[in-house]
Amino acid sequence: MKNILVTGGAGFIGSNFVHHMLAKYPEYNIVVYDKLTYAGNLDNLLPVKDDPRYAFVQGDICDAAQVKNAVEQHDVDTIVNFAAETHVDRSIMDPDAFIQTDVYGTYVLLEVAKELGVARYHQISTDEVYGHIPEGHSSVETDPLEPRSPYAASKAAGDMMVDAYFITYGLPVTISRGSNNIGPYQYPEKVVPLFATNAMEGLPLPIYGDGMQKRDYQYVIDHCEGIDAVLHHGQLGEAYNVGTGNEIDNLTMVQTLLDELGASADLIRHVEDRAGHDRRYSLNVDKLKSLGWVSRHTNEEAIRKTVRWYADNEWWWSKIKSGEFKEYYQKQYGERLALAN
Ligand code: NAD
Ligand code: TYD
């Protein structure tokens, strides 16, 4: 591994992965390939913009000629695919872009990897592909994929296509399935940055339904270290879960967040639930641990560290919470908040 194409590297997890890899491996070069959708943000890559080992290409993963060009020009031997439409609520409003990018875009990358003989293709996937997980079980990698939202279904389709390229063409692939990530540079549509920034602005925190849904909130750098472990020590054709191995309910998440900010619980509003809302995700991460990786933050530490980053980096999120974001916020929460008690 020497020249890595990081698709979606201007987004939240991708940019953290770029920082992690450039800091840890002086011999690697990174090319970020990103369409710069509403979620892509070059501010996330400001700390590396003058690093000679980093290059940026603006492009769509659905455009085979453009992807091929980037791979050839930069002599890419490894593709790590973070590029995706990622927000469940947006996938409920309008699934089209999810099918395009998360399904068709994955296929395009696999085809280019096959045609140009790329040495490794790694797919970034999610715990949501396993669907709702009843109490008493934690998903293992061999569990059936039972996605329930358009987002989760598009990611599951991507995973299946990756497996198909391994089985049919022998493409050297791996997959990682992460739980909910939180940390620096997350677009404030996802719950933790939305609630942290709303609380700082004195705005309501819209909890869907009873707030007893469970998620494994992991610190993004732990996830990046997990991907790094899979890239260096993972077995081809295998998937690896990445998370803390523990989950908490959303009311506990919000109490921790408010406590870290010293803000009042009066901001909490229970609003109409998300359609098809998965009650619980839970990952068994023993397979990744067997590669020597450990998760270094608990759910609570991850929440507190993330909230502190948002408190210290208003410059980053204040410009995002205008324009496109305001339109989305009104559409998603306007009526819900008006009807909330
Ligand atoms: P994000 O929404 O912050 O960023 C996505 C990035 O992909 C953006 O920079 C965007 O511009 C780019 N992109 C979108 N469509 C593209 C296209 N057609 N061509 C090229 N670039 C495109 O996402 P994230 O939260 O960083 O998630 C990254 C990956 O990790 C995704 O594959 C997601 O499914 C997966 N994942 C996310 C989480 C989470 O909690 N955020 C958890 C597990 C897995
Ligand atoms: P989210 O950050 O959208 O991640 P995902 O749906 O991919 O897990 O949501 C995390 C949890 O928070 C999920 O149970 C839905 C809930 N949630 C709210 O209660 N209110 C909100 O405004 C949002 C965005 C999410």
Side-chain angles (χ1 to χ4, degrees):
M1 193 178 331
K2 188 172 182 308
N3 300 323
I4 309 171
L5 190 79
V6 178
T7 63
F12 162 48
I13 309 174
S15 60
N16 278 285
F17 180 73
V18 170
H19 297 309
H20 165 79
M21 294 298 277
L22 285 175
K24 186 165 169 196
Y25 300 104
E27 67 279 23
Y28 291 175
N29 300 305
I30 302 246
V31 183
V32 168
Y33 182 92
D34 198 296
K35 186 179 175 182
L36 295 181
T37 66
Y38 77 93
N41 183 351
L42 289 177
D43 281 353
N44 303 358
L45 293 162
L46 277 178
V48 296
K49 79 173 186 356
D50 297 323
D51 190 322
R53 296 171 301 141
Y54 158 78
F56 178 78
V57 176
Q58 183 166 5
D60 189 333
I61 61 165
C62 298
D63 183 333
Q66 228 181 345
V67 174
K68 232 169 118 173
N69 200 31
V71 170
E72 283 177 333
Q73 278 205 342
H74 294 274
D75 197 18
V76 166
D77 51 49
T78 303
I79 297 177
V80 184
N81 179 30
F82 291 88
E85 288 293 333
T86 61
H87 193 40
V88 173
D89 290 323
R90 291 189 195 249
S91 85
I92 294 168
M93 272 180 200
D94 187 4
D96 199 74
F98 289 75
I99 313 305
Q100 274 304 315
T101 292
D102 304 11
V103 184
Y104 184 74
T106 298
Y107 151 73
V108 168
L109 293 175
L110 291 165
E111 264 302 299
V112 172
K114 170 165 78 77
E115 191 185 329
L116 298 183
V118 166
R120 182 67 167 274
Y121 177 91
H122 182 77
Q123 177 77 352
I124 305 298
S125 184
T126 164
D127 59 1
E128 306 197 22
V129 298
Y130 297 117
H132 161 72
I133 306 303
E135 292 289 345
H137 182 68
S138 295
S139 306
V140 291
E141 290 81 354
T142 47
D143 280 352
L145 305 190
E146 295 179 359
R148 292 160 29 98
S149 72
Y151 163 66
S154 69
K155 293 296 293 183
D159 283 18
M160 287 176 165
M161 197 56 75
V162 173
D163 278 342
Y165 270 66
F166 174 72
I167 293 162
T168 309
Y169 305 111
L171 192 73
V173 305
T174 40
I175 298 175
S176 53
R177 299 196 178 120
S179 66
N180 288 60
N181 281 226
I182 54 176
Y185 307 124
Q186 186 170 33
Y187 192 87
E189 64 190 352
K190 306 293 194 305
V191 74
V192 170
L194 177 70
F195 283 14
T197 57
N198 273 13
M200 285 185 258
E201 294 180 297
L203 295 172
L205 313 185
I207 294 220
Y208 295 154
D210 63 5
M212 292 308 289
Q213 306 84 7
K214 288 187 173 168
R215 297 291 185 268
D216 174 359
Y217 294 100
Q218 69 170 319
Y219 199 61
V220 63
I221 295 300
D222 289 334
H223 184 204
C224 292
E225 289 174 354
I227 298 163
D228 177 352
V230 175
L231 278 173
H232 288 95
H233 309 295
Q235 204 177 318
L236 297 182
E238 293 289 315
Y240 293 84
N241 292 338
V242 194
T244 72
N246 289 298
E247 56 282 343
I248 57 170
D249 61 67
N250 285 330
L251 287 181
T252 304
M253 174 274 291
V254 79
Q255 288 298 348
T256 307
L257 180 153
L258 288 168
D259 181 66
E260 185 62 31
L261 286 173
S264 164
D266 294 350
L267 292 171
I268 294 174
R269 300 283 183 285
H270 285 269
V271 300
E272 186 195 350
D273 208 349
R274 170 187 281 172
H277 196 167
D278 288 335
R279 289 294 284 183
R280 178 173 178 266
Y281 299 135
S282 178
L283 286 180
N284 177 315
V285 294
D286 290 350
K287 189 173 174 185
L288 184 57
K289 280 187 183 163
S290 75
L291 300 185
W293 165 91
V294 285
S295 169
R296 294 191 288 113
H297 301 79
T298 62
N299 299 139
E300 181 181 339
E301 286 163 353
I303 293 164
R304 291 188 184 279
K305 205 162 165 174
T306 300
V307 169
R308 281 202 297 280
W309 187 86
Y310 281 84
D312 293 342
N313 289 279
E314 195 174 336
W315 71 273
W316 183 85
W317 56 264
S318 56
K319 30 182 170 172
I320 296 174
K321 285 190 105 177
S322 57
E324 190 277 343
F325 178 86
K326 277 210 155 90
E327 241 171 75
Y328 163 75
Y329 192 83
Q330 182 53 32
K331 213 162 143 191
Q332 179 65 17
Y333 298 104
E335 199 177 315
R336 273 189 162 91
L337 281 168
L339 295 172
N341 38 36

